[in-house]
Amino acid sequence: MRMRTAHFYDLHWSTTKTEVNGDIVVTGKFRLFSDWPKNLPAPERSFLGNGTPGPVLARTESWINGEPAIQSGRLELDRDYEFKTVLKGRIPGKHHVHPMINVEGAGPLLGPGSWLEVTGNAADFKLPATTIDGTQIENLETWGMGTVKTVHIGWYIAALVFMLWWLRKPLLMPRAVALQAGNEEELVTRGDRLWGAAFGIATVVVVIWGANWAEATYPRTIPLQGGEFNVEPLPMDNRTVSVRVRRATYDVPGRSMKLKLELTNDGDKPVSIGEFATAGLRFINKSVPAAVAAIDPTFPMDLVPPSGLQVADSRPLAPGETRLIEMEATDAAWEAERLTSLLNDPDNRVGGLLFLYDADGERVIANVSGPIVPVFTKS
């Protein structure tokens, strides 16, 4: 599933270490894959988030293509989006943090994760805000907690009093005996009915009083917004390279994916294969300097296999040329990242992005998708 849903690329973390209340800005792009799994709902309603081990960071900003992404919205398949999230350090520790797209019905789709360290004291965390009427809130995390506790304690006491009223009477066996004897009327006395009525009336009065108090105390309120954002994807690149998978195998003993691709350069400049990216892994063709230079220093290097991408024919693909090219991505990361589950998938298909570069370092991104066959004997 990770090979054929959301492909994140050009990721950058502003820092990998910050203090409590410090900001970490995560930027990058993602493409919702054209060969989206048929068993997953399409991204008709998606939400930009971040995958963390609990609320260790507070997300204070979310942007997609420069538009606020506070709410959910529809995203298009086979299109690219640029995102930005601002995370605020909350709980000290080393945390593994992923960019993430939540798709309704499909669940969270994680991007590459990086280790971020938050230092300091959790008690110092503050999340200040200014409301639309100018009210200064020193810390959203604790704002209004006095009222919340008072209301909860009040209702707990009311429930306890109501329960004790009935618990003071004989329970279980005596009541069962009374019911069997046809004396159920004796179980609820006139005093019980008066008490119940008085308690019910008091509850309604308290609820009405509470609603009026809240309205008077906070006269300007806005309900939680249920609308959806509508953001256009990034413009499509006119330069294209079409890719057709002629053969794809996964060598199980050798932990190697071997692809035989038919590439057609529809652009106006010669291009060379620089990178194959799938499920967060980046296999780099080290003979292409632009591809090596594209590795951001903050990108987790455990997701960049040192063996790289082996391309049998590294000659640039001329404009209009069609050529069969074999490439091989070999590393234990296939196992470590649990991507070999495709072996047991009833729909064995490989998916990923192919990055091709021209002599000026300009990049063309092409989709790679097709059926894949596992090979269990050493080749």
Side-chain angles (χ1 to χ4, degrees):
M1 182 181 73
R2 292 164 57 196
M3 292 184 183
R4 298 167 51 202
T5 49
H7 289 290
F8 289 82
Y9 60 97
D10 288 353
L11 294 182
H12 175 74
W13 287 262
S14 63
T15 180
T16 55
K17 185 175 182 179
T18 188
E19 298 179 345
V20 169
N21 295 317
D23 286 339
I24 299 173
V25 181
V26 184
T27 58
K29 297 176 181 175
F30 63 88
R31 173 178 293 189
L32 299 177
F33 202 53
S34 56
D35 190 13
W36 188 267
K38 301 298 182 187
N39 59 322
L40 291 183
E44 295 295 330
R45 184 173 291 118
S46 306
F47 179 74
L48 174 64
N50 51 277
T52 60
V56 296
L57 301 165
R59 189 173 66 255
T60 58
E61 295 184 37
S62 299
W63 304 85
I64 293 181
N65 288 356
E67 301 287 340
I70 304 169
Q71 298 166 303
S72 302
R74 181 179 180 275
L75 300 175
E76 297 182 28
L77 294 181
D78 200 22
R79 298 301 298 269
D80 297 85
Y81 296 87
E82 189 170 25
F83 76 92
K84 172 186 173 183
T85 56
V86 180
L87 310 174
K88 194 180 186 71
R90 183 170 180 266
I91 297 178
K94 292 194 71 173
H95 313 300
H96 204 231
V97 180
H98 303 253
M100 182 174 68
I101 298 292
N102 291 281
V103 176
E104 184 180 35
L109 306 175
L110 294 172
S114 178
W115 286 101
L116 306 180
E117 183 176 4
V118 178
T119 60
N121 190 341
D124 296 332
F125 176 76
K126 289 185 177 180
L127 189 59
T130 303
T131 65
I132 57 178
D133 65 354
T135 301
Q136 301 289 330
I137 298 175
E138 185 178 358
N139 188 2
L140 272 175
E141 195 168 56
T142 57
W143 189 67
M145 285 301 295
T147 303
V148 172
K149 290 178 181 178
T150 301
V151 170
H152 278 78
I153 291 173
W155 285 118
Y156 285 144
I157 292 175
L160 184 62
V161 169
F162 188 80
M163 184 177 65
L164 290 177
W165 173 268
W166 297 103
L167 288 178
R168 67 188 175 83
K169 294 191 170 190
L171 299 174
L172 301 178
M173 292 306 296
R175 297 179 74 85
V177 171
L179 287 172
Q180 290 176 352
N183 299 325
E184 62 270 16
E185 289 296 326
E186 297 179 2
L187 296 176
V188 181
T189 66
R190 184 171 180 274
D192 293 334
R193 292 190 176 89
L194 291 174
W195 159 255
F199 196 90
I201 293 172
T203 301
V204 173
V205 170
V206 169
V207 170
I208 294 175
W209 175 84
N212 290 331
W213 173 84
E215 183 67 23
T217 306
Y218 307 102
R220 299 188 182 94
T221 57
I222 296 177
L224 289 174
Q225 299 298 291
E228 299 183 359
F229 71 73
N230 183 16
V231 59
E232 294 293 325
L234 293 176
M236 297 184 71
D237 194 343
N238 294 325
R239 304 165 305 152
T240 59
V241 174
S242 58
V243 179
R244 184 176 179 183
V245 177
R246 286 295 190 178
R247 187 180 71 244
T249 60
Y250 179 72
D251 181 355
V252 178
R255 297 170 173 173
S256 177
M257 182 171 289
K258 300 175 181 177
L259 301 172
K260 186 175 184 180
L261 308 176
E262 180 182 291
L263 280 72
T264 301
N265 184 359
D266 300 317
D268 56 1
K269 293 183 179 179
V271 292
S272 301
I273 296 176
E275 177 181 345
F276 175 62
T278 182
L281 294 177
R282 301 179 64 182
F283 293 91
I284 306 295
N285 182 358
K286 297 177 182 177
S287 65
V288 178
V292 177
I295 303 175
D296 189 275
T298 64
F299 191 84
M301 293 308 294
D302 58 320
L303 298 178
V304 184
S307 55
L309 181 67
Q310 306 302 318
V311 180
D313 187 351
S314 291
R315 292 176 299 153
L317 189 67
E321 180 184 2
T322 298
R323 189 193 310 166
L324 289 175
I325 297 179
E326 295 186 14
M327 64 183 197
E328 183 175 327
T330 305
D331 198 85
W334 293 111
E335 299 282 348
E337 293 296 316
R338 302 178 181 178
L339 296 175
T340 54
S341 60
L342 63 87
L343 304 179
N344 303 313
D345 198 324
D347 182 22
N348 280 348
R349 295 184 68 83
V350 61
L353 300 181
L354 197 64
F355 296 79
L356 302 101
Y357 295 86
D358 62 23
D360 298 325
E362 297 292 328
R363 184 180 63 185
V364 178
I365 304 176
N367 295 329
V368 176
S369 73
I372 186 169
V373 177
V375 178
F376 295 94
T377 55
K378 192 172 183 179
S379 58

